[in-house]
Amino acid sequence: MKKGGLPLILILLTAIVSGCISGETQNQTGTTSSSVPTTATSPVLTSTSPYSPPPKGEFGLPEGNYRAIYTGLDKSCPTGRVPVRFAYYSGNETVKSVSLRGSFNNWAEWPMKEENGTWSTTVCLRPGKYEYKYFINGQWVKDMSDDGTGRPYDPDADGYADDGYGGKNAVRLVEGKESFYVEFDPGNPAYLSVADNRTVVRFEAKRKAVSSAVLVTDRGNYTMKLQVWWDSGEVWRTEVPFVEPMRYYIVINSADGGRFLVLNTSESPFFSFDGIDRFPQLEWVSNGIAYQIFPDRFNNGNESNDALALDHDELLLNQVNPGRPLLSNWSDPITPLHCCHQYFGGDIKGITEKLDYLQSLGVTIIYLNPIFLSGSAHGYDTYDYYKLDPKFGTEEDLREFLDEAHKRGIKVIFDFVPNHCGIGNPAFLDVWKNGKQSPYWDWFLIKRWPFKLGDGKAYVGWWGIGSLPKLNTTNPEVREYLIGAALYWLDFGFDGMRVDVPNEVLDPATFFSELRERVKEKHPDAYLIGEIWTLSPEWVKGDRFDSLMNYALGRDILLNYARGYLSGEAAMKMMGRYYASYGENVVAMGFNLVDSHDTSRVLTDLGGGSLGDEPTNESIQRLKLLSTLLYTLPGTPVTFQGDERGLLGDKNHYDEQRYPIGWDQVNEDVLNHYRALAELRMRTPALRSSAIRFYTAKNGMMAFFRGHDDEVLVVANSWNRPAKLELPQGEWRILWPEGRMGVTVLGSIEVPGVSVLILERS
């Protein structure tokens, strides 16, 4: 559903580091780094000479000249970042939560703490100009310059800027000087994680500032390789072929001949990994292929339950915007009710009937949009979190579906909506009837009572919508009700859940850490996905989700590259920031999608037209390019129902992307392409691995390695004209496209326009 810890910095200076900034900060601040020279009694290792370890059987620091970088002093901002305090005085207003959101954290939610009526947080920021807003009691502040009394929400703001929605963001100007830097934090999975049963260690550095690096452990030394890059930075990576306790440090040779050791503290210089994987990768996700189903529009297996949708539709309860829902035949035209209140009769039995079809697509994971009792076709206004909506069938139908899916090796994920419910929820109806006498009064955020059902001004609703009253998840009773429901359906037989708008849930840190802890305790292999649309690594550090809905990869990067809007170089740099931000275990569990029920269909986005049009040959070719990239990246590729059949749909026309699948219509070329991609992925282990490393990018072309030994090379060209690629050394055998499979090449290869080549080392 959609309406619309920064990593620690270790600054490596070529001169003696100045004094550190003191003062307490939140986790966003990172840790302190310092640099001290060692003795110069031994020859200095240069960037052109190999690292010389201690004698065999010993583990210690090398002799020679180097600068030590201590990272284990979690006290202040690293050199090169500035502590910036954000504050809000609530006065006499009742405030339960305040969060900071801004351009410095991709508008994600950083909770602020209250003391004596003032909510505040301090974060470490690099020099620059930032826009931000406060998120109070689950609602965005409209105008940061006026809190309703003529005072600004943040008295320390340096100015204001139009937010594009009729309001104002606050502006902060952070002064300082950018320096050469390296980032490493073993507590962050972006720097140390367990993926594919290997221990992966990485660090970030300023672009082209490092010439070589070695991970030194008490079990041996491991050469680090440049993995990914972008305009200002890059990531170096190595993997240790075991998951066992080890002590280690990192040796870095800089491009200007400097020598640095990344250490823990002066008293305890070695990092220590205890060999315990506290954020396990789910291999069934990494090896999987996912398919999203919007149940009312997928397939009608039982017409006798179709009319049951009409007796509890939200429009029948709404006293502000009442109306009548519509039951349509499968191929009836779209009406203005199509988004939410035009029903077509799709159900659970209809999905069960199509399981063999889904299996032919290589599908191993099904993600279902909401199926619990609600007042709409989309289901995001839940009435009863513990009851299947009868319009979709009975619990016996659901049991049969799950059993049949599991027989075929297919896992099933349900959609979970903890931020808001529907006006037909019994707890909300009790508040509507009884006001403060209701035992559920504190389950919601009521502004005035009595009120009419559907009046978004009388209580807090999702984005102010009166049919979607917001739940007060700071209330332990509400948390217990919701988490209990999640556990109920996992116990029933589901294999995971996708969580709707988690960034808007009140006190998300408490709620989602408790949800994860209790889910993983009973169902350790359950897959937890958060609907976050932006690059937001703070949600996937082991205490909340396994993955996010990766629109930041699929739409922001891959779609725009496939459209030809981004060059290969630009797309690869954006991918560099993406892969640098997440742990390799998280990347391996990526829920990688381009379109969904909340967007136009991918073929429409690629210029194929709207529902009922005939897509152009070029749009089909660009769909093939984009889907091939999706199937060759780490994580699980996700297909929205019908994309594999060449369906079209424009979100701006009453969400026509949700129109029912016409099973008598199919683009066979597209369907065969998706089936071939599934076969390619299943027979090529490197494409299911966690490992990716960039090779090159130029003009419309980009190329990257897959696999732990760079054994597969994926080359894409989004421009219409051919491109020439100089291949890595050795012979390469073509795996894709099928028409050239098995051909051996070396030296260079021509990449046709709007196409992908996949090669494997011979």
Side-chain angles (χ1 to χ4, degrees), residues 263-336:
L263 305 172
N264 183 24
T265 68
S266 57
E267 294 79 15
S268 180
F270 306 125
F271 298 104
S272 181
F273 174 52
D274 61 10
I276 299 174
D277 183 5
R278 292 178 173 81
F279 189 2
Q281 169 191 351
L282 301 174
E283 293 188 10
W284 65 265
V285 175
S286 305
N287 289 310
I289 294 173
Y291 191 90
Q292 180 188 348
I293 291 177
F294 194 90
D296 181 65
R297 315 289 169 80
F298 183 68
N299 187 42
N300 191 344
N302 181 8
E303 294 184 355
S304 68
N305 57 31
D306 294 1
L308 297 180
L310 303 179
D311 61 12
H312 53 274
D313 186 87
E314 173 262 322
L315 295 179
L316 304 178
L317 293 174
N318 199 308
Q319 298 171 314
V320 177
N321 296 296
R324 302 291 300 181
L326 175 65
L327 180 61
S328 298
N329 294 315
W330 199 250
S331 59
D332 281 357
I334 286 174
T335 74

Side-chain angles (χ1 to χ4, degrees), residues 326-488:
L326 175 65
L327 180 61
S328 298
N329 294 315
W330 199 250
S331 59
D332 281 357
I334 286 174
T335 74
L337 294 176
H338 181 261
C339 151
C340 311
H341 303 288
Q342 183 177 5
Y343 298 92
F344 289 87
D347 50 31
I348 298 297
K349 189 169 285 293
I351 302 173
T352 305
E353 290 177 355
K354 294 295 182 180
L355 283 174
D356 288 342
Y357 166 78
L358 295 177
Q359 191 173 22
S360 78
L361 294 170
V363 170
T364 61
I365 304 169
I366 292 173
Y367 154 44
L368 296 178
N369 284 110
I371 59 171
F372 310 125
L373 184 64
S374 73
S376 66
H378 55 68
Y380 287 98
D381 53 342
T382 313
Y383 288 0
D384 191 333
Y385 287 81
Y386 290 78
K387 183 177 181 181
L388 176 68
D389 198 312
K391 66 175 176 278
F392 294 134
T394 65
E395 285 201 359
E396 288 73 23
D397 294 331
L398 183 59
R399 168 61 59 205
E400 179 188 13
F401 161 62
L402 291 173
D403 289 345
E404 289 298 319
H406 290 155
K407 286 179 185 177
R408 292 166 173 81
I410 298 174
K411 308 276 191 178
V412 185
I413 298 164
F414 65 88
D415 214 328
F416 183 52
V417 191
N419 179 67
H420 50 267
C421 62
I423 57 176
N425 183 285
F428 187 73
L429 289 174
D430 194 271
V431 170
W432 168 64
K433 292 176 182 177
N434 300 310
K436 290 187 177 182
Q437 302 306 310
S438 169
Y440 305 106
W441 176 261
D442 288 330
W443 282 41
F444 305 93
L445 304 172
I446 309 299
K447 298 178 182 178
R448 65 169 183 263
W449 185 87
F451 57 77
K452 293 182 178 180
L453 292 173
D455 182 2
K457 296 180 180 179
Y459 47 85
V460 176
W462 180 74
W463 284 77
I465 299 174
S467 61
L468 300 171
K470 186 177 181 71
L471 287 160
N472 178 16
T473 47
T474 65
N475 184 329
E477 291 182 1
V478 175
R479 288 204 301 272
E480 185 59 37
Y481 171 76
L482 292 169
I483 294 174
L487 292 170
Y488 175 84

Side-chain angles (χ1 to χ4, degrees), residues 156-172:
D156 296 322
D158 294 309
Y160 302 93
D162 187 351
D163 66 1
Y165 297 93
K168 292 181 181 179
N169 294 330
V171 173
R172 278 293 184 94

Side-chain angles (χ1 to χ4, degrees), residues 611-640:
L611 184 68
D613 292 341
E614 184 69 27
T616 63
N617 289 334
E618 181 172 345
S619 66
I620 293 291
Q621 199 62 28
R622 292 190 180 278
L623 173 64
K624 290 181 177 180
L625 179 150
L626 178 53
S627 54
T628 303
L629 283 174
L630 204 65
Y631 273 67
T632 57
L633 290 169
T636 186
V638 185
T639 300
F640 180 49

Side-chain angles (χ1 to χ4, degrees), residues 201-203 213-215 222-226 236-238 250:
V201 179
R202 309 194 306 168
F203 69 84
V214 178
L215 176 70
Y222 300 88
T223 300
M224 306 188 79
K225 292 183 179 181
L226 175 61
W236 288 67
R237 173 194 183 275
T238 193
I250 300 172

